[in-house]
Amino acid sequence: MEKERKSSTVAVSDVGAWAMNIISSVGIIMTNKQLLSSSGFAFTFATTLTGFHFSVTALVGWLSNAAGYSATSKHIPMWELLWFSIVANTSIAGMNFSLMLNSVGFYQISKLSMIPVVCVMEWIIHGKRYSMEVKMAVAVVVVGVGICTVTDVKVNAKGFLCSCVGVICSSLQQISIGSLQKKYSVGSFELLSKTAPLQALSLLVVGPVIDYYLTGKLLSNYKLSSGAIFFILLSCSLAVFCNMSQYLCIGRFSAVSFNVLGHMKTVCVLTLGWILFDSELTPKNILGMMLAVIGMVVYSWAVEVEKQAGTKIIAMKHSISEEDSHLLKGENGEGLEKDVEIGKSLNRPTFS
């Protein structure tokens, strides 16, 4: 009874983590669309905005620690935190440069390529293998999202290089989130509280330079309005939940699951864009979204089957080892009893 209650609690927590990630991610995309677009507030400093996001996240982490809401802090070597921050910030810069130098279609292909890249990197780093069902489900999701998002595809040598750097660093960052949590037994929010200040500091320093190179505009020349300030604060608030849920989901599941099921956000964004912003929703988009959702359902089923199979194997190994120990115990027990009897008979005095 207690086991069932525990599993149901875990299931609710898992659904809550995914719901938080999808809602906050879709919310931040819609907010940033209004903030960054020329038809909105034309705040075109995306990298600097990411620095603001991590600054607010770091502030929330610091306040949580100061108020005693966080668990006892565990030590993570500074070099690992620095390495993680460099990889994470390089991924942000790489993807931003990829979007600037390549077409939107190729940028979407780059984002989709993260799923197979994460699979290959997990196989290289952790020796993780995937069943045929999981591979097929991943392929269906990639094709489905590709159909509904990829349009024109134009690429050049510089753009391709930036895209490769962005994809590899993004994949490595996502794998590192799970690895660091397991290696140092830290919670998702605790790890985020340790990495966010370093990312914020470096992005606030480098971000304006990258944004100037990308847009040709200086942050100091931007005229802030009350509307722009409101949307910046809203974007930063949603980013806290988005970052928290990302670390939570990867810690609970895996980087591959986060990428595959995370494309539900793409489906939601396309649907909300059609509802709220009167964006065109073609039969091609609908077909792609249907394929993507089918792929996600099949992926969830395949992962669950793998998990159950792994649990059965562990249970079988455990029961076999218990049987072996009982047999050995029994044999040793009988042997000891016989030895004692023989010893007693030999030591018994004889009378002639």
Side-chain angles (χ1 to χ4, degrees):
M1 187 73 180
E2 193 178 332
K3 195 176 181 181
E4 287 177 7
R5 197 180 298 161
K6 192 177 179 182
S7 62
S8 63
T9 306
V10 170
V12 170
S13 301
D14 292 347
V15 171
W18 279 117
M20 188 199 293
N21 185 254
I22 290 169
I23 292 166
S24 60
S25 298
V26 173
I28 203 170
I29 288 166
M30 293 297 166
T31 303
N32 288 353
K33 187 172 183 178
Q34 184 66 22
L35 183 62
L36 300 172
S37 66
S38 55
S39 58
F41 294 98
F43 185 84
T44 54
F45 311 99
T47 313
T48 307
L49 181 63
T50 308
F52 294 160
H53 290 168
F54 280 107
S55 299
V56 174
T57 303
L59 178 64
V60 170
W62 180 80
L63 289 172
S64 177
N65 289 329
Y69 291 120
S70 300
T72 308
S73 182
K74 291 177 183 175
H75 176 70
I76 299 176
M78 181 54 72
W79 72 268
E80 292 224 48
L81 295 175
L82 283 170
W83 164 248
F84 177 86
S85 299
I86 290 166
V87 170
N89 290 348
T90 305
S91 75
I92 293 165
M95 294 308 287
N96 283 348
F97 276 114
S98 172
L99 184 58
M100 182 193 77
L101 296 169
N102 304 316
S103 64
V104 175
F106 187 79
Y107 176 76
Q108 291 294 343
I109 290 172
S110 301
K111 287 180 76 176
L112 285 171
S113 68
M114 281 185 206
I115 301 175
V117 169
V118 167
C119 289
V120 171
M121 288 181 80
E122 283 204 326
W123 172 64
I124 293 168
I125 297 168
H126 300 301
K128 193 171 182 179
R129 296 183 181 276
Y130 300 93
S131 65
M132 184 55 68
E133 291 82 2
V134 169
K135 290 174 186 173
M136 291 295 289
V138 166
V140 171
V141 172
V142 170
V143 170
V145 176
I147 288 171
C148 62
T149 58
V150 177
T151 49
D152 62 316
V153 179
K154 292 176 184 175
V155 64
N156 56 62
K158 283 183 182 177
F160 181 75
L161 181 63
C162 289
S163 179
C164 288
V165 171
V167 168
I168 291 168
C169 287
S170 296
S171 304
L172 188 57
Q173 180 229 2
Q174 290 175 6
I175 292 168
S176 299
I177 289 171
S179 300
L180 287 171
Q181 287 187 53
K182 287 173 186 172
K183 186 177 179 181
Y184 296 104
S185 302
V186 294
S188 53
F189 187 66
E190 187 183 347
L191 179 62
L192 180 60
S193 299
K194 290 178 182 296
T195 56
L198 292 170
Q199 283 189 256
L201 184 64
S202 52
L203 284 172
L204 288 175
V205 172
V206 180
V209 178
I210 293 172
D211 289 331
Y212 177 73
Y213 184 80
L214 291 171
T215 63
K217 295 177 183 178
L218 287 169
L219 179 63
S220 56
N221 293 339
Y222 181 78
K223 291 180 181 178
L224 276 173
S225 63
S226 56
I229 291 168
F230 171 77
F231 273 92
I232 288 170
L233 292 173
L234 179 60
S235 180
C236 290
S237 302
L238 288 166
V240 174
F241 292 102
C242 191
N243 289 329
M244 279 173 59
S245 58
Q246 181 191 12
Y247 279 57
L248 196 61
C249 288
I250 293 175
R252 282 177 171 271
F253 307 100
S254 68
V256 177
S257 295
F258 179 76
N259 275 284
V260 172
L261 300 178
H263 278 296
M264 179 57 74
K265 292 175 279 193
T266 307
V267 175
C268 291
V269 167
L270 287 170
T271 308
L272 284 172
W274 173 62
I275 295 167
L276 299 175
F277 299 103
D278 201 27
S279 299
E280 189 182 4
L281 200 62
T282 63
K284 181 186 162 202
N285 295 138
I286 294 165
L287 173 65
M289 287 192 287
M290 286 172 65
L291 269 175
V293 171
I294 290 166
M296 288 173 208
V297 171
V298 174
Y299 176 83
S300 302
W301 166 79
V303 169
E304 190 60 32
V305 168
E306 272 191 353
K307 199 186 289 181
Q308 288 176 1
T311 307
K312 283 179 183 176
I313 290 165
I314 291 166
M316 283 174 66
K317 283 180 178 177
H318 184 67
S319 62
I320 289 166
S321 63
E322 276 189 348
E323 284 175 18
D324 288 345
S325 64
H326 282 311
L327 285 167
L328 286 166
K329 202 173 181 182
E331 286 173 8
N332 288 339
E334 284 176 14
L336 283 167
E337 284 175 11
K338 284 176 184 175
D339 289 344
V340 170
E341 287 296 321
I342 292 164
K344 281 181 180 177
S345 64
L346 287 170
N347 292 329
R348 228 175 254 147
T350 55
F351 301 96
S352 53

